[in-house]
């Protein structure tokens, strides 16, 4: 018999509803009359059963598979560009030519040699490949090859482990952006069978840190070459957004036609496969290290590297597009100057004459001061010592007379003195001859050493190192000369109650003239999103679509481009997006690279690799904070990241940044890496100046401070500015005492005799317009920068 369950009836007593304590959001009561709420439709999330969830996952899986297949089909066929592979050896004993020759031995391939690129068509795989060999000792060539390559083929050795050069190259490539990679090793099958697996495991162990799931391919015979080509053609291609949104082309062939009017410039004809996006003839293009240029026309020659051979080759060149001189993108990076924008009258001739006379007088005083001051004393020390130096003729004193008498030796008879000295000279003649021979050999060796070493540069480096150490020990502290008024020297500075919370009023004042000529893009992120979204929907210029074999006619290119971009350095051309030729202020967040210990100062010239651009500029550094004001850093320290601000053309992120320092011998040393933070000229960078004084007389919470100022007017001028001490006390200036710079101050606590009184002053600073798109390539033997460490070797 089944058990009966109790069913409640209509008279069941309902339980009371739970009462909240009034802390929930629903229990909050708002006073006053409430407006009626509009009726809104609530979107209920539809619950899917198990079968529907399986179908949904299958659709998503199929979409991803189709995306990967379409990406693979976009390379290696007749209507698509070939697989572009850059061969980069990571060991000294490996040569890129040997790797390429091993790949040519693959069965059923057609090899077409070129000056810059070697094309290999595989009949069995029905795919075509293009191999380029950048100079192994030129890090600039390696980086340019990685910007456009679909795959990087790294060569390894069984006799040599990865050293400093491999770490340096891989670090630079990771900082810029790494495409798909494949590793190959030669000579592995020459080892015994037992050592082959052990050697392969050791090589894989060195690469596990950077490439966790990497596979090392052997390249010793035809079978290995065929497997390696199949791995290149079947791998998943890595996405690089910098080049996906821009049309780019690697030069397979290039010719130069000088202009009839000027032989230094001419028309550069570059032939290659277009990748990325469609190209417009009115669109500006960029050549790294040379700048932006305009196109004259775009041609479509016959593609000689097709898989399917035609019975009759087409030798005619079809002109696709010709530039319209009125609608093509102008190359004016700065806006024209408006002379009426500045509220300032032009100075008269009398004012110009007075300014010129004042400048000449200051220059003469400076020259006189340099002549009078002793050797080894700087200009800053000379200002302090000017009052104590006696500039008159030196008077002979009694002590000098006594010294002169001692030098005479006290002889009354001069003939006697001569006879005694001659006897002593005869005894020491032999010792002098031996000493002269030793000094001659030492002087020759010393002179040869002095010719090799740049002592002037060493002294300059030592001076910068001392300034950096001084700034690290006493951050932003300055000293005011006693004979110059502080209110004149620091007239551009102002005080702030709190650097974090106090607003910087009138942010647009004191802006340099360049700010009227640069491009300021309001709401930059929205403009960037709208521009990138429009590229996906654009169907214009279908004739110049990706994958087509094109010839670009670039106008007014310098003639020395043929000497710099030789067959070992690839020439890469990028098409610019809308507005990327205008100059603006670019902010980049940087971190020191590796164990670089060089002193890097603000406004020091540097070479930047920003995305597809390469240029030189003098950045200023500031702290990377979340506030509306950012403190300027006089030096780029190793511990904390900084934001480098420079004048540069607009570039839409994401874009990587590599900062190089050019050494005296022409080499380039990688000192920092990072990314583009923002394109914002309105980022406020504040320079801080700290004045220090010492308490002279202390009376509980008040004290007499000296050595901060040296006259009464300066104290009255800076009286409203707040004071602070290194122990954390805060105070203010009450009144000046006397006329020599003593002042009475009050604090919120008692002071110690060892405490230091400080005053913070602030001024907005701007970068200098030192942008230069023309950056010559370093010599091939000096591109990889080895400095002090002798282990960091390069290829001979």
């Amino acid at each position: 018999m089944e058990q009966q369950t109790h069913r409640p009836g209509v008279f069941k007593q309902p339980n009371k509803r739970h009462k909240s304590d009034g802390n929930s959001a629903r229990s909050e009561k708002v006073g006053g009359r409430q407006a009626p709420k509009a009726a809104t439709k609530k979107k209920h999330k539809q619950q899917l059963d198990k079968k529907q969830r399986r179908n949904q996952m299958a659709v998503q899986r199929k979409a991803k598979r189709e995306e990967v297949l379409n990406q693979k089909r976009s390379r290696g066929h007749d209507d698509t560009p070939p697989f572009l592979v850059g061969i980069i050896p990571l060991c000294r004993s490996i040569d890129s030519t040997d790797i390429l020759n091993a790949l040519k031995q693959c069965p059923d391939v057609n090899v077409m040699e070129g000056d810059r690129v070697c094309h290999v068509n595989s009949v069995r795989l029905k795919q075509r490949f293009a191999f380029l060999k950048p100079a192994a000792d030129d890090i600039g060539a390696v980086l340019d090859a990685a910007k456009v390559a679909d795959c990087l083929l790294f060569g390894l050795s069984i006799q040599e482990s990865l050293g400093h050069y491999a770490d340096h190259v891989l670090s630079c490539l990771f900082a810029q952006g790494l495409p798909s990679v494949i590793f190959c090793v030669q000579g592995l099958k020459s080892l015994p069978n037992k050592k082959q697996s052990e050697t392969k495991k050791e090589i894989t162990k060195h690469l596990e840190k950077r490439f966790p799931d990497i596979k090392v391919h052997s390249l010793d015979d035809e079978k290995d070459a065929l497997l390696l080509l199949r791995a290149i053609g079947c791998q998943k291609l890595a996405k690089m957004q910098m080049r996906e949104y821009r049309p780019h082309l690697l030069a397979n062939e290039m010719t130069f036609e000088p202009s009839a009017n000027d032989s230094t410039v001419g028309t550069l004809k570059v032939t290659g496969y277009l990748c990325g996006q469609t190209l417009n003839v009115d669109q500006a293009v960029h050549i790294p290290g040379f700048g932006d240029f305009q196109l004259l026309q775009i041609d479509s020659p016959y593609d000689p590297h097709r898989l399917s051979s035609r019975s009759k080759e087409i030798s005619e060149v079809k002109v696709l597009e010709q530039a319209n001189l009125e609608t093509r993108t102008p190359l004016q990076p700065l806006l024209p100057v408006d002379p009426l924008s500045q509220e300032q009258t032009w100075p008269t001739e009398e004012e110009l004459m007075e300014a010129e006379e004042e400048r000449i007088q200051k220059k003469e005083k400076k020259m006189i001061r340099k002549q009078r001051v002793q050797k080894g004393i700087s200009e800053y020390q000379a200002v302090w010592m000017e009052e104590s130096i006696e500039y008159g003729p030196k008077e002979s004193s009694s002590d000098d007379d006594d010294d002169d008498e001692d030098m005479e030796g006290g002889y009354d008879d001069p003939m006697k003195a001569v006879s005694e000295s001659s006897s002593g000279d005869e005894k020491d003649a032999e010792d002098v001859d031996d000493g002269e021979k030793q000094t001659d050999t030492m002087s020759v060796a010393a002179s040869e050493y002095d010719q090799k070493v740049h002592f002037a540069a060493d002294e300059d480096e030592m001076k910068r190192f001392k300034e950096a150490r001084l700034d690290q020990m006493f951050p932003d502290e300055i000293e005011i000369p006693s004979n110059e008024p502080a209110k004149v020297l620091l007239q551009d500075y102002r005080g702030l109650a709190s650097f974090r919370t106090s607003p910087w009023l009138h942010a647009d004042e004191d802006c340099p003239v360049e700010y009227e000529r640069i491009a300021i893009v309001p709401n930059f992120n929205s403009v960037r999103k709208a521009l990138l979204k429009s590229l996906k929907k654009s169907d214009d210029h279908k004739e110049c679509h990706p994958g087509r074999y094109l010839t670009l006619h670039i106008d007014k290119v310098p003639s020395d481009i043929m000497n710099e971009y030789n067959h070992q350095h690839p020439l890469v051309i990028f098409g610019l997006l809308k507005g990327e030729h205008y100059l603006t202020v670019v902010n980049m967040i940087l971190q020191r690279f590796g164990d670089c210990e060089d002193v890097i100062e603000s406004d020091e010239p540097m070479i930047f690799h920003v995305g597809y651009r390469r240029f030189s500029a003098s950045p200023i550094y500031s702290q990377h904070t979340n506030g509306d004001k950012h403190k300027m850093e006089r030096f780029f320290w190793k511990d904390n990241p900084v934001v480098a601000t420079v004048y540069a053309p607009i570039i839409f992120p994401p874009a990587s940044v590599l900062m190089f320092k050019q050494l005296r011998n022409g080499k380039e040393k990688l000192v920092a890496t990072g990314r583009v933070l923002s394109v914002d000229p309105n980022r406020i960078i504040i320079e801080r100046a700290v004045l220090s004084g010492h308490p002279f007389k202390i009376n509980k919470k008040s004290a007499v401070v000296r050595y901060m100022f040296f006259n009464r007017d300066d104290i009255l001028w800076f009286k409203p500015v707040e004071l602070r001490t290194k122990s954390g006390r805060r105070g203010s200036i009450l009144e000046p005492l006397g006329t020599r710079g003593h002042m009475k101050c009050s604090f919120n606590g008692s002071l110690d005799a060892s405490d230091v009184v400080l005053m913070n002053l602030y001024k907005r600073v701007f970068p200098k317009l030192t942008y230069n798109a023309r950056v010559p390539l370093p010599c091939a033997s000096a591109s990889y920068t080895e400095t002090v460490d002798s282990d960091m070797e390069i290829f001979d």
Side-chain angles (χ1 to χ4, degrees), residues 390 392-401:
E390 296 180 359
K394 185 177 180 181
E395 298 179 358
S396 59
S397 59
S398 59
D399 296 336
D400 298 335
D401 298 337

Side-chain angles (χ1 to χ4, degrees), residues 17 20 22-30 37 42:
R17 191 175 60 179
S20 62
N23 296 327
S24 62
R26 293 182 179 179
S27 62
E28 294 180 358
K29 296 181 180 180
V30 181
K37 294 183 179 180
K42 293 184 179 180

Side-chain angles (χ1 to χ4, degrees), residues 242-248 275-277 575 577 580 612 652:
M242 179 199 69
R243 66 187 187 188
E244 284 187 359
Y245 293 118
R246 295 174 179 87
H248 56 276
C275 302
Q277 297 289 332
L577 298 181
E580 282 193 328
Y612 57 88
F652 293 99

Side-chain angles (χ1 to χ4, degrees), residues 374-413:
Q374 298 177 3
K375 187 177 181 181
I377 298 177
S378 63
E379 297 180 5
Y380 181 76
Q381 294 172 337
V383 175
W384 288 87
M385 300 176 62
E386 186 177 5
E387 298 178 357
S388 60
I389 295 176
E390 296 180 359
Y391 299 117
K394 185 177 180 181
E395 298 179 358
S396 59
S397 59
S398 59
D399 296 336
D400 298 335
D401 298 337
D402 296 339
D403 295 339
D404 295 338
E405 292 177 359
D406 295 338
M407 292 295 293
E408 293 177 1
Y411 291 106
D412 296 333
D413 188 2

Side-chain angles (χ1 to χ4, degrees), residues 438-451:
Q438 295 178 359
T439 53
D440 290 340
T441 56
M442 292 176 61
S443 61
V444 172
S447 62
E448 292 179 355
Y449 181 79
D450 293 344
Q451 292 177 0

Side-chain angles (χ1 to χ4, degrees), residues 25 31 34 96 230 393 420 562 624 635 662 736:
Q34 301 295 322
S96 57
R230 180 174 287 139
E420 291 186 5
M562 300 298 293
H624 182 43
F635 293 91
Q662 191 167 14

Side-chain angles (χ1 to χ4, degrees), residues 660-782:
F660 290 85
K661 179 181 179 181
Q662 191 167 14
L663 304 180
R664 299 188 302 267
N665 52 7
K667 299 180 180 181
E668 292 182 2
K669 182 178 182 180
L670 181 64
V671 295
T673 59
R675 59 180 176 85
V676 174
L677 179 64
S678 62
V679 179
D680 185 14
N682 297 323
R683 189 175 189 270
I684 300 177
I685 303 175
I686 305 298
E687 179 185 4
R688 184 180 69 173
V690 180
L691 304 180
S692 60
H694 300 275
F696 178 47
K697 296 179 181 179
I698 301 174
N699 184 12
K700 294 184 179 180
K701 294 186 179 181
S702 63
V704 177
V705 180
R706 58 180 179 178
Y707 300 149
M708 183 177 290
F709 303 105
F710 297 96
N711 57 72
R712 186 182 183 90
D713 295 337
D714 290 343
I715 299 174
L716 296 175
W717 181 267
F718 291 100
K719 184 178 179 181
V721 183
E722 186 182 17
L723 301 176
R724 68 179 181 88
T725 66
K726 289 191 174 182
S727 61
R729 307 297 184 187
R730 293 188 175 272
S732 59
I733 300 174
L734 295 180
E735 59 179 351
L737 301 176
T739 60
R740 297 301 181 90
H742 290 200
M743 56 185 180
K744 185 177 181 181
C745 306
S746 64
F747 298 91
N748 59 354
S750 59
L751 300 183
D752 296 332
S754 60
D755 209 346
V756 180
V757 182
L758 304 174
M759 176 185 288
N760 294 339
L761 301 174
Y762 303 95
K763 178 185 73 171
R764 185 179 180 184
V765 292
F766 302 90
K768 296 179 181 179
L769 185 55
T770 57
Y771 169 78
N772 186 11
R774 181 69 180 94
V775 180
L777 294 174
C779 55
S781 61

